[in-house]
């Protein structure tokens, strides 16, 4: 089973090409506020995360994920489901 640190590191790698402002990532980093992503960037990023972890993130789940930490939790939950 993949632990939170591994998931965070993989997510950080996926964030890098989209992190135009060079924001330092923490679990509290927000996608809309800190990274200033628009909806198109979010959709591209979600597709990258789904491919990386071989999961499906529903639209309802996406609406609830605001921070990197919440995404780590969601990926961990989906990987064990």
């Amino acid at each position: 089973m993949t632990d939170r640190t591994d998931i965070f590191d993989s997510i950080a790698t996926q964030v890098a090409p989209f992190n135009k402002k060079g924001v330092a990532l923490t679990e509290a980093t927000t996608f809309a506020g800190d990274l200033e992503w628009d909806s198109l960037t979010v959709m591209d990023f979600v597709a990258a995360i789904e491919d990386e972890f071989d999961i499906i993130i529903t639209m309802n789940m996406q609406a609830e994920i605001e921070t990197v930490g919440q995404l780590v939790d969601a990926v961990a939950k989906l990987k064990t489901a």
Side-chain angles (χ1 to χ4, degrees):
M1 183 165 125
T2 307
D3 68 10
R4 283 184 60 81
T5 303
D6 291 337
I7 294 171
F8 179 88
D9 291 344
S10 291
I11 289 172
T13 300
Q14 294 297 322
V15 166
F18 300 98
N19 190 358
K20 305 297 185 203
K21 298 187 74 176
V23 174
L25 283 186
T26 68
E27 293 218 4
T29 301
T30 61
F31 298 106
D34 297 325
L35 295 172
E36 297 180 6
W37 288 358
D38 60 18
S39 58
L40 182 59
T41 302
V42 170
M43 295 307 294
D44 288 344
F45 175 70
V46 167
I49 291 296
E50 289 176 333
D51 289 346
E52 172 76 15
F53 292 100
D54 194 26
I55 58 174
I56 300 294
I57 301 173
T58 67
M59 294 300 279
N60 288 342
M61 189 177 283
Q62 288 179 38
E64 295 174 6
I65 298 171
E66 296 179 2
T67 67
V68 172
Q70 289 172 329
L71 179 57
V72 170
D73 291 338
V75 168
K77 182 178 178 182
L78 289 167
K79 290 298 285 178
T80 59

